[in-house]
Amino acid sequence: MNSSLCQGWVQHRRWAPRPHAFRYRVGMLCLDLDEQLDLLALSPLLGRWRFAPLCWRERDYLPAYTRQGIPLSEAVRELVGEALGEVPRGRIELLTQPRCWGLWFNPVSFYFCHDDDGRLAAILCEVRNTPWRERYHYVVSVRPGGAIDQWFDKRFHVSPFLPRDTRYHMRFLLEGPHIRVHIESWRDEHKLFEAGLAVERQPLSAEALRRHVAAFPWTTLSTLSAIYWQALRLLIKGTPIHDHQAPDGHLGSGRDTPEDTQHVQ
């Protein structure tokens, strides 16, 4: 089975206008979308029942497509093709936190899209916000043998404590069982914020799934609680709030360097 469980850490650090940082343990699932039936047959702890300890349902993801009956894998390929002009035809792995006890929210889910020869060709980032429940999609192109390192104009309101007129710098490192994601937010020459996700793949089995659920019994509730707790801490620190803006479209593709490289060192 290509699918795996993932455990590790997520951390955030704000540099301006108020310093702020936190770090949490995190448990995730990295699912090969071709193995959905195998996954559902693995254990009663993970099924289609909405209130299961872990619930897998395609229509939780890319709902504009999947709730119209389009398979998730085809929806991912359509978005990647729209952004990059090329459609990866190999396997797709989704790194995410499934629905837990009826609750579901992912700040970001990552789709690792491969070519027929197994080479990683693109990464689709499905970003959500709360409480607006909006979605946006960033597509990272992957060059053969090159670093996975791209810049994006921010097109989507995620946090009321960060301005819209910024740029993201996304970097990915995928080595064996290790998955590393690093995202920075820049405004001109100033780095305002950075977030990191570091997880390690672990073999997926019924016993491993039982241990995973015991270690992370309330994944969605923990994620939402952490978001609002950190928001309260930022309010107490007097961090300025920026008004919500509707998404600028639904899809963005990156570039290898920022528009003005002299500002970002």
Side-chain angles (χ1 to χ4, degrees), residues 44-57 59-60 98-104 213 217-218 220:
L45 293 173
L46 196 157
R48 296 189 189 277
W49 182 49
R50 179 185 180 91
F51 296 101
L54 293 176
C55 169
W56 169 253
R57 298 193 300 178
R59 60 184 180 272
D60 283 338
R99 183 182 292 269
C100 177
W101 302 110
L103 296 175
W104 188 74
V213 170
W218 305 98
T220 305

Side-chain angles (χ1 to χ4, degrees), residues 3-242:
S3 301
S4 58
L5 297 169
C6 296
Q7 296 184 8
W9 296 90
V10 61
Q11 59 185 11
H12 286 201
R13 180 177 294 275
R14 292 175 184 266
W15 303 95
R18 304 283 188 276
H20 186 76
F22 61 85
R23 185 172 185 253
Y24 289 110
R25 285 279 294 170
V26 64
M28 306 182 77
L29 173 69
C30 190
L31 170 63
D32 185 326
L33 294 184
D34 290 335
E35 297 180 345
Q36 295 182 53
L37 295 180
D38 295 331
L39 179 76
L40 293 169
L42 192 62
S43 167
L45 293 173
L46 196 157
R48 296 189 189 277
W49 182 49
R50 179 185 180 91
F51 296 101
L54 293 176
C55 169
W56 169 253
R57 298 193 300 178
E58 276 202 343
R59 60 184 180 272
D60 283 338
Y61 300 87
L62 304 186
Y65 298 84
T66 55
R67 293 179 186 176
Q68 302 300 318
I70 299 173
L72 180 57
S73 57
E74 291 306 311
V76 172
R77 292 188 177 99
E78 183 171 334
L79 281 172
V80 172
E82 182 180 344
L84 303 182
E86 296 183 8
V87 178
R89 292 298 180 185
R91 63 187 176 90
I92 299 173
E93 294 178 307
L94 167 61
L95 180 64
T96 190
Q97 289 182 325
R99 183 182 292 269
C100 177
W101 302 110
L103 296 175
W104 188 74
F105 177 77
N106 271 285
V108 57
S109 296
F110 300 99
Y111 302 82
F112 301 104
C113 308
H114 298 78
D115 282 335
D116 287 329
D117 60 4
R119 181 187 70 84
L120 183 66
I123 301 171
L124 170 65
C125 310
E126 182 180 11
V127 184
R128 292 191 67 195
N129 59 18
T130 181
W132 304 280
R133 302 175 67 183
E134 297 165 328
R135 301 182 193 232
Y136 194 83
H137 312 96
Y138 295 98
V139 179
V140 180
S141 62
V142 180
R143 301 183 308 277
I148 310 175
D149 182 340
Q150 288 194 338
W151 292 82
F152 294 81
D153 293 326
K154 184 177 180 180
R155 302 293 190 186
F156 181 60
H157 181 95
V158 177
S159 167
F161 301 101
L162 284 171
R164 180 74 165 265
D165 58 335
T166 60
R167 292 172 294 184
Y168 288 135
H169 186 198
M170 295 188 187
R171 299 196 298 271
F172 294 80
L173 179 62
L174 309 174
E175 290 185 343
H178 304 290
I179 300 175
R180 303 285 188 270
V181 183
H182 188 80
I183 301 173
E184 299 172 349
S185 178
W186 289 80
R187 195 180 202 183
D188 298 324
E189 72 275 16
H190 303 293
K191 181 165 69 171
L192 305 181
F193 168 83
E194 64 181 7
L197 173 68
V199 296
E200 183 172 342
R201 296 174 184 254
Q202 302 176 3
L204 181 56
S205 66
E207 176 57 25
L209 189 60
R210 185 192 66 79
R211 293 195 301 267
H212 186 87
V213 170
F216 302 96
W218 305 98
T219 54
T220 305
L221 183 60
S222 297
T223 297
L224 287 169
S225 298
I227 288 172
Y228 287 107
W229 167 241
Q230 297 302 329
L232 177 60
R233 291 182 62 198
L234 287 167
L235 283 173
I236 292 172
K237 289 183 176 183
T239 306
I241 294 177
H242 300 268

